[in-house]
Amino acid sequence: MEAVIALTLIVLLFAVLGSGLWIGLSLLGVALVGMELFTQRPVGDSMALTVWGSTSSWTLTALPLFLWMGEILFRSKLSNDMFKGLAPWLNWLPGRLLHTNVVGCAIFAAISGSSAATCATIGKITLPELKKRGYPDAQAIGTLAGAGTLGLLIPPSIIMIVYGVAANVSIAKLFLAGVVPGVVLALLFSGYIVVWSLLNRERLPGKEPATSLRHKLHASRHLIPVVTLIALVLGGIYSGIATATEAAALGVAGSLVLSRLEGSLNWESFREGLVAACRTYCMIGLILAGAAFLTLAMGFIGLPRQVAEFIGGLQLSPFALMLLLVLFFIVLGCFLDGISMVVLTIAVLLPTVQAAGFDLIWFGIFIVLVVEMAQITPPVGFNLFVLQGLTQREVTWIARTALPLFMLMMVAVLLTYVAPGLALWLPSRMQG
């Protein structure tokens, strides 16, 4: 009986989502129907308590602060300066300036926390420059689509905050757990660029004139503000001096100071950044509230227990369970954004994951990696939409150019499974 009810609610959920209604309201509506029709619980009290509890967590305070920090930097000249600082150092590598997509996204991810913001910011800088210099569009856009997903993995990460709140694990440890896998994934992306360029030398523009070490060091001065901000945020967390929320406040203060010093901060940009961060957080907060209420309704109906018993009855090995979850999240990512995927599934999956012996910090990194893959899968890949707006290309064409990087993300998932220390070593070294 529970399976029929659950299937009915899932069909209703996808029908409502397909109608174009806001995701948060869709989740609340389906939960309301489920509670009213299939349980004896008082709906009003349950909704009020659940919505308040899901949005009033102190831990969640880090989310709007990191969003605001990203918006401040998005409107500053720091990202443009970053390209000037990186380009002279990358000319010697096979693939040359294509690597600016990867390195630029990795650096901006460490001060943004958002995949879409990372992709949009770096894309506005690198795509016109790469096109002007004669680099192939497919490689420039494809590598940017994949590298933009580093905004989810390299801390501070919005999705990690959401997962940490949902799974009740340390956000600071999650942040540190993402550092090494993030670097490994960036190296895999750069390795792909190297191999592709060696096999397709004729498709690359001619070499640019060599620059002296003095010129490179002089250009590197543009990287100092960004590196300082990264050290301020992550150094505070790693040393134990600051929690994730306190580090977020430091990041906002630092980004305001840097933006003011380089001349891009004025009342208009300050107001626009604050309003954009508030809008994004309200959207995420509504999704969190709707998902929390839907999770409660599903719990009363018995869906989490049914799913856990079903998966447990399959007698899967941990590796087979991981592959099943990868497939599940990839399919889910074709219809939902990353935050919705996490908040909808964590409550259902955690009992099974814990029974299989997976560390919840490691599982958080696993979730982020598979959500990254969903960012470049049509039809609801957020990075695809961002790049469509920047390039006016078809979403399916962009997805094809990003396919090699999608496969490299799968390699990264397998690497973190085979060597969980990639994710767990740094958190184990955290002070305080």
Side-chain angles (χ1 to χ4, degrees), residues 101-272:
N101 277 339
V102 177
V103 182
C105 285
I107 293 176
F108 194 78
I111 50 176
S112 165
S114 164
S115 174
T118 300
C119 191
T121 304
I122 301 302
K124 286 178 181 177
I125 302 161
T126 61
L127 290 182
E129 292 292 331
L130 293 174
K131 188 176 184 66
K132 184 171 67 177
R133 287 170 166 82
Y135 287 86
D137 280 353
Q139 289 305 306
I141 295 170
T143 53
L144 178 62
T149 63
L150 292 170
L152 296 181
L153 185 57
I154 295 177
S157 165
I158 304 305
I159 205 93
M160 285 183 189
I161 298 174
V162 173
Y163 171 82
V165 171
N168 195 28
V169 297
S170 167
I171 293 173
K173 288 188 175 181
L174 280 170
F175 279 2
L176 294 179
V179 172
V180 176
V183 172
V184 169
L185 189 57
L187 290 174
L188 287 173
F189 290 161
S190 280
Y192 161 72
I193 293 172
V194 168
V195 172
W196 180 89
S197 63
L198 291 174
L199 297 175
N200 298 272
R201 295 176 188 272
E202 72 285 352
R203 298 180 61 185
L204 290 172
K207 283 189 176 182
E208 297 186 12
T211 55
S212 66
L213 179 61
R214 181 179 178 180
H215 177 267
K216 290 177 181 177
L217 292 173
H218 183 68
S220 296
R221 75 189 189 281
H222 297 295
L223 298 175
I224 293 174
V226 176
V227 173
T228 302
L229 191 58
I230 294 170
L232 182 69
V233 174
L234 296 187
I237 294 173
Y238 181 78
S239 64
I241 295 173
T243 64
T245 303
E246 291 163 348
L250 286 173
V252 169
S255 59
L256 285 170
V257 170
L258 291 176
S259 184
R260 179 62 178 171
L261 289 176
E262 53 91 33
S264 62
L265 181 65
N266 52 44
W267 174 248
E268 187 64 23
S269 64
F270 179 87
R271 188 188 66 82
E272 287 178 357

Side-chain angles (χ1 to χ4, degrees), residues 26-56:
S26 299
L27 301 179
L28 283 169
V30 171
L32 186 65
V33 170
M35 289 281 286
E36 194 68 54
L37 297 182
F38 304 119
T39 74
Q40 302 300 317
R41 304 283 179 170
V43 179
D45 291 347
S46 298
M47 177 185 282
L49 289 171
T50 305
V51 169
W52 171 254
S54 65
T55 54
S56 61

Side-chain angles (χ1 to χ4, degrees), residues 208-388:
E208 297 186 12
T211 55
S212 66
L213 179 61
R214 181 179 178 180
H215 177 267
K216 290 177 181 177
L217 292 173
H218 183 68
S220 296
R221 75 189 189 281
H222 297 295
L223 298 175
I224 293 174
V226 176
V227 173
T228 302
L229 191 58
I230 294 170
L232 182 69
V233 174
L234 296 187
I237 294 173
Y238 181 78
S239 64
I241 295 173
T243 64
T245 303
E246 291 163 348
L250 286 173
V252 169
S255 59
L256 285 170
V257 170
L258 291 176
S259 184
R260 179 62 178 171
L261 289 176
E262 53 91 33
S264 62
L265 181 65
N266 52 44
W267 174 248
E268 187 64 23
S269 64
F270 179 87
R271 188 188 66 82
E272 287 178 357
L274 188 56
V275 169
C278 287
R279 283 176 177 164
T280 305
Y281 178 68
C282 288
M283 179 268 291
I284 294 173
L286 186 58
I287 292 174
L288 288 172
F293 188 42
L294 183 59
T295 299
L296 180 73
M298 293 294 192
F300 285 144
I301 293 167
L303 178 62
R305 177 176 51 81
Q306 291 281 330
V307 172
E309 288 176 357
F310 171 74
I311 296 177
L314 295 177
Q315 300 294 314
L316 297 174
S317 67
F319 182 72
L321 175 61
M322 183 204 69
L323 291 181
L324 179 64
L325 290 175
V326 169
L327 180 62
F328 170 69
F329 277 106
I330 290 174
V331 172
L332 203 60
C334 293
F335 306 98
L336 294 174
D337 67 280
I339 290 172
S340 301
M341 288 164 58
V342 171
V343 294
L344 272 176
T345 57
I346 289 304
V348 177
L349 293 177
L350 279 186
T352 303
V353 167
Q354 289 176 297
F358 290 135
D359 183 276
L360 290 187
I361 296 292
W362 176 90
F363 188 66
I365 300 306
F366 166 83
I367 288 285
V368 172
L369 281 168
V370 292
V371 168
E372 276 189 331
M373 296 163 71
Q375 297 291 302
I376 52 175
T377 55
V380 192
F382 270 28
N383 282 21
L384 302 181
F385 290 147
V386 170
L387 286 173
Q388 184 185 40

